[in-house]
Amino acid sequence: MVATIRLPDGQVTKRDIEDHGEAAVVLPYDPERRMAMLIRQFRTPPFYAAGDGMMLEPPAGRLDEADPEACARREAMEEIGLRLTRLEPVARVWTMPALSTERAWMYLAPYAQGDRVASGGGLAEEHEEIEVLEMPLAELAAMADAGTLTELKLLLLVQTLRLRHPGLFTPA
């Protein structure tokens, strides 16, 4: 949609707005094995803009329910087959404030090997073609340091986990 707005200086202008609503994003991590569960998925805009559409991401999705924690748990189950219990709130952020109304509830979530109760991969009717990955936290930290974590929500969650639980990124 295009909105006509009056700026703080009184000038009237038009701005594009994409209404995406709210979302929930979660980075599941195994504190015992020092691993994280992620997805790899094709995304058309990065492919269009840069020629590579395969993105490494945390499980995420739009809120279909009023409770963002329920959404984070649902998305973790659908996308990676992981049953999450405890969520650690990180932030509620505007994902692209110059264009989109989307705000994302961000979480960290510890898990154990026994919490993987399904294969994941997303819902067949959504044609997501999700690849489920488990990666060492130390590798994610190295990718963050090298500037190769290109999905902003994943970068934010990895860095937050490093700040909150630095011992998870050192050799066991």
Side-chain angles (χ1 to χ4, degrees), residues 2 8 21 52 73 110-111 115 122 126 132 147 149 159 162:
V2 177
D52 183 9
R73 288 184 178 92
Y111 73 93
D115 295 326
E126 292 182 3
V132 179
L149 286 182
Q159 299 295 50
R162 288 173 84 178

Side-chain angles (χ1 to χ4, degrees), residues 2 4 32 59 63 70 75-76 93 105 114 145 150 155-156 158 162:
V2 177
T4 301
E32 295 277 323
L63 264 63
E75 290 295 334
V93 299
W105 298 81
D145 292 345
T150 59
L155 178 62
L156 178 133
V158 167
R162 288 173 84 178

Side-chain angles (χ1 to χ4, degrees), residues 38-91:
L38 304 169
I39 65 169
R40 187 182 329 266
Q41 183 175 14
F42 178 80
R43 297 296 193 181
T44 303
F47 177 75
Y48 176 79
D52 183 9
M54 295 308 293
M55 298 294 296
L56 185 63
E57 305 175 28
R62 295 173 95 179
L63 264 63
D64 293 335
E65 54 275 282
D67 180 7
E69 290 188 8
C71 179
R73 288 184 178 92
R74 175 180 48 80
E75 290 295 334
M77 181 59 74
E78 288 176 9
E79 295 186 356
I80 59 177
L82 193 61
R83 180 183 50 233
L84 297 178
T85 52
R86 189 168 65 89
L87 297 176
E88 302 172 18
V90 171

Side-chain angles (χ1 to χ4, degrees), residues 113-131:
Q113 280 185 293
D115 295 326
R116 181 98 193 269
V117 296
S119 60
L123 299 177
E125 63 268 20
E126 292 182 3
H127 308 285
E128 294 176 299
E129 299 181 24
I130 291 171
E131 176 188 1

Side-chain angles (χ1 to χ4, degrees), residues 27 29-30 34-36 135-142 161 168-169:
L27 177 62
Y29 68 95
D30 181 335
R34 298 177 183 190
M35 303 288 280
M135 295 182 66
L137 291 173
E139 184 178 341
L140 287 171
L161 185 62
L168 296 176
F169 294 87

